[in-house]
Amino acid sequence: MPKILMLTTDQAIDRRILLEADALTGDGWEVTILAMPGSGPDPPNVVRIGTNGRVKSLQKEWTILALYRFARRLVSMNGAWAGRARSMVWRHWISPDEFARRLMLPEALRYPADVVVAHDLPILPTAVETAKYHGAKLVYDSHELYCEQEFEPPLQRMWSAVETRTI
């Protein structure tokens, strides 16, 4: 049975990803969805990073994720304050694509695949490395024009550079 590994940085997995996985499973594919830690019940084909233990060398990334999840419970992550805080973290501590790569790549390499699907730009560099490692085909499913979102100009340039480097 051919295998698909879908990668997403979603904590609450986008229903489009789940519907795509269901359709592919119905066509005979074995589908695994690798996602960030989340809450709520997941379908059996969803694997959350960190459930098999955390790599100690990634303490900074796990701390940033824990702080983000804490802040998310207190304030809207779509407001101006949250946007400025996210921008500061991304520009001064760790870029979001590197953050996703460091957290998700070790786990992604454990799942052999014939096709690797990147769901949105933050996970694309990780998907490229994963596909190369497994000798798999790569599919980039961009849910929106990522660089055209309402980011500050420095972040738009950063995302544009990620697109240029990986697409």
Side-chain angles (χ1 to χ4, degrees):
M1 178 181 302
K3 296 180 181 183
I4 294 180
L5 176 61
M6 295 183 169
L7 303 176
T8 180
T9 57
D10 291 354
Q11 292 179 37
I13 299 174
D14 187 310
R15 69 175 187 79
R16 295 171 290 184
I17 296 172
L18 297 172
L19 291 170
E20 182 179 331
D22 287 347
L24 290 164
T25 300
D27 281 345
W29 290 83
E30 180 182 320
V31 179
T32 301
I33 301 169
L34 183 62
M36 288 289 195
S39 58
D42 285 322
N45 62 340
V46 172
V47 176
R48 299 289 185 163
I49 64 167
T51 54
N52 295 327
R54 297 179 178 173
V55 179
K56 291 187 185 212
S57 64
L58 300 177
Q59 190 61 41
K60 176 175 97 173
E61 289 79 4
W62 284 108
T63 301
I64 290 170
L65 184 60
L67 289 171
Y68 171 79
R69 294 181 84 190
F70 175 75
R72 189 174 173 183
R73 286 193 299 262
L74 300 177
V75 297
S76 167
M77 296 314 284
N78 295 326
W81 176 87
R84 285 191 294 278
R86 206 170 26 249
S87 176
M88 184 183 73
V89 168
W90 289 352
R91 285 188 289 145
H92 300 291
W93 288 344
I94 189 165
S95 67
D97 60 306
E98 179 63 12
F99 177 76
R101 188 189 71 74
R102 289 181 50 80
L103 280 174
M104 295 189 76
L105 185 62
E107 190 78 17
L109 298 181
R110 293 185 188 137
Y111 292 90
D114 300 296
V115 178
V116 175
V117 180
H119 283 282
D120 268 330
L121 188 57
I123 200 63
L124 183 58
T126 303
V128 168
E129 281 190 62
T130 302
K132 285 180 183 176
Y133 180 85
H134 293 301
K137 303 283 185 193
L138 176 67
V139 174
Y140 175 37
D141 185 349
S142 179
H143 297 186
E144 59 267 324
L145 299 173
Y146 213 84
C147 296
E148 303 303 316
Q149 294 183 66
E150 294 181 15
F151 293 122
E152 297 174 346
L155 291 178
Q156 285 181 327
R157 288 190 296 275
M158 180 200 70
W159 284 120
S160 182
V162 171
E163 275 189 341
T164 300
R165 191 173 63 247
T166 55
I167 295 178

